[in-house]
Amino acid sequence: MNFYIWKIIIGASIITILCKTLPILILSKINLNKKLLKFLNIIPIAILCVLVISEIFTLNNNFCFKLPETTALIVSIITALKKDNLLLTVLSGVVTLALLRFIF
Amino acid sequence: MFDFFKKQRSDSLFLEGIKDCIPTVLAYISIGITCGVVSSTCNMSPMQVLAMSTFIYTGSSQFIISSMILSQSSIVNIVFTVFLMNLRYVLISASIAPYLKKNSFFKNLISGFLLTDETFALETSRGQSKGHIEYNWMLGLSLIAYLNWIAANFIGSILGNLIYDYKTLGLDFALPAMFVGLLISSIKSQKNKRTSLSVIIFTIVIFFISISFISVNSSVLISAILASALGVVIDK
């Protein structure tokens, strides 16, 4: 049995569960001030934005411009703005990237 | 009689949650299968992939784990990297905590465990419009996502041998594409769009400056926190 992988799964599971559950368990039981609530309201936008940017424009911890991925990103953004349909947004981006990789 | 109507409402909220999850299901399937395929390339057995998707249940961490196993990184290194990757969940989970005040400890434990990048945007939108997140709605939304994710990962781990290079299918773009969709949806639900757009610009600028000095994972956290703080300052 490969204990190396099982140990990783156990360790990573504990860490992930703590990261996800502790803030909810603690903060849901205390009253937060208005500024903190506003901050927590804005955080999702910042997080999602930086996740997109880090996925598309970085490679091995450095900035990297990738034309096919950037093109697919633009297509996804336009689809999301026009259609407001998550499934279409994902499909448009995936298909665009697949086509560009196939052609080039 | 009152209990009957209470149960009817609980059931309808649960079903509403399932319905609201449907648009994300295909994204989950494509990313989940990709994740399963990638995991199988680092010699993980289908059982290990099943365990990883069941107990870790975060796509980005699972991708990172697979890649680090391939490069034979130490267990401590991998777990620490997962911790850094998942620090954003501290912020995400904190951001929905105010909408879960009515829930018991056990329900909030379940809510936290089932939280993902994808469901949190939907939950935030629900919380902002209703002032709280109904537990049964959240359960319907999250359980479908969770079971779908596990199944997709398992299928991907079995299909792994048949799909030599998932990148030729563009499947590695499914995750960022989903983030784009969720981001645009979040902005549309915000009352003050000027603040939202300002936060996006701040985030991008701070991120690109910070990656010159620190790792991408740290830059993700710092740019999100600083940009959000600036957003609070300029929001009126």
Side-chain angles (χ1 to χ4, degrees):
Chain A
M1 191 181 261
N2 192 339
F3 287 112
Y4 167 68
I5 292 178
W6 283 113
K7 282 177 189 171
I8 290 166
I9 291 172
I10 290 166
S13 301
I14 293 169
I15 286 292
T16 306
I17 289 168
L18 287 174
C19 285
K20 285 184 178 182
T21 57
L22 279 182
I24 288 178
L25 293 174
I26 295 167
L27 296 177
S28 63
K29 297 305 170 195
I30 59 178
N31 287 321
L32 304 171
N33 69 41
K34 280 186 181 172
K35 281 219 182 299
L36 187 53
L37 279 171
K38 207 179 268 189
F39 175 80
L40 293 176
N41 191 39
I42 291 172
I43 271 276
I45 293 182
I47 291 268
L48 284 169
C49 174
V50 78
L51 285 174
V52 171
I53 300 297
S54 63
E55 287 281 336
I56 304 295
F57 294 108
T58 64
L59 185 67
N60 299 329
N61 271 320
N62 291 309
F63 171 77
C64 178
F65 180 77
K66 299 170 238 173
L67 187 57
E69 283 81 353
T70 307
T71 309
L73 174 66
I74 294 168
V75 169
S76 293
I77 291 171
I78 293 170
T79 309
L81 286 168
K82 284 188 173 295
K83 295 291 179 187
D84 199 18
N85 182 310
L86 191 59
L87 183 57
L88 278 177
T89 303
V90 172
L91 278 175
S92 65
V94 167
V95 168
T96 302
L97 186 60
L99 281 172
L100 287 171
R101 283 178 177 164
F102 179 73
I103 292 167
F104 298 106
Chain B
M1 184 76 124
F2 179 74
D3 286 342
F4 171 76
F5 285 118
K6 203 173 161 188
K7 188 177 181 313
Q8 288 285 87
R9 172 149 170 79
S10 297
D11 290 347
S12 74
L13 280 171
F14 185 81
L15 291 172
E16 190 185 340
I18 291 175
K19 186 174 78 69
D20 288 344
C21 187
I22 289 171
T24 65
V25 161
L26 195 72
Y28 267 92
I29 289 172
S30 62
I31 299 165
I33 290 176
T34 307
C35 204
V37 167
V38 170
S39 300
S40 71
T41 63
C42 65
N43 296 323
M44 271 199 213
S45 67
M47 279 310 296
Q48 286 167 332
V49 173
L50 195 67
M52 195 166 66
S53 56
T54 302
F55 296 112
I56 297 175
Y57 186 38
T58 50
S60 47
S61 297
Q62 288 175 232
F63 277 114
I64 286 285
I65 287 171
S66 300
S67 129
M68 291 184 81
I69 285 173
L70 265 177
S71 58
Q72 292 287 305
S73 297
S74 70
I75 295 170
V76 169
N77 246 358
I78 295 175
V79 173
F80 184 66
T81 304
V82 167
F83 169 65
L84 291 178
M85 287 290 301
N86 289 336
L87 270 179
R88 72 179 188 280
Y89 280 107
V90 173
L91 298 176
I92 286 169
S93 140
S95 77
I96 66 164
Y99 304 120
L100 301 173
K101 283 182 176 300
K102 294 182 180 181
N103 293 344
S104 67
F105 178 89
F106 179 71
K107 284 181 178 177
N108 281 341
L109 191 64
I110 300 294
S111 303
F113 175 72
L114 293 176
L115 183 64
T116 64
D117 295 315
E118 297 80 13
T119 59
F120 114 86
L122 293 166
E123 289 171 15
T124 303
S125 179
R126 181 92 173 181
Q128 284 169 351
S129 66
K130 290 184 177 281
H132 66 278
I133 301 170
E134 301 100 330
Y135 178 70
N136 287 317
W137 174 86
M138 188 282 310
L139 202 60
L141 178 86
S142 302
L143 267 182
I144 291 300
Y146 182 54
L147 295 172
N148 183 43
W149 177 255
I150 294 169
N153 267 261
F154 189 67
I155 290 167
S157 70
I158 294 174
L159 288 178
N161 292 331
L162 302 175
I163 303 174
Y164 177 68
D165 186 3
Y166 63 94
K167 286 189 176 182
T168 57
L169 299 173
L171 291 176
D172 53 318
F173 194 75
L175 191 64
M178 186 156 45
F179 288 153
V180 164
L182 294 170
L183 174 61
I184 304 284
S185 177
S186 288
I187 294 169
K188 285 181 179 177
S189 69
Q190 291 284 324
K191 288 174 191 161
N192 193 335
K193 291 186 179 33
R194 189 181 69 96
T195 303
S196 304
L197 292 173
S198 302
V199 167
I200 287 173
I201 293 168
F202 292 148
T203 306
I204 294 170
V205 169
I206 296 169
F207 178 76
F208 283 124
I209 291 172
S210 58
I211 57 167
S212 307
F213 304 100
I214 53 179
S215 70
V216 168
N217 285 335
S218 303
S219 300
V220 165
L221 279 172
I222 286 171
S223 52
I225 291 170
L226 285 179
S228 301
L230 286 169
V232 171
V233 169
I234 67 164
D235 188 46
K236 286 178 184 139

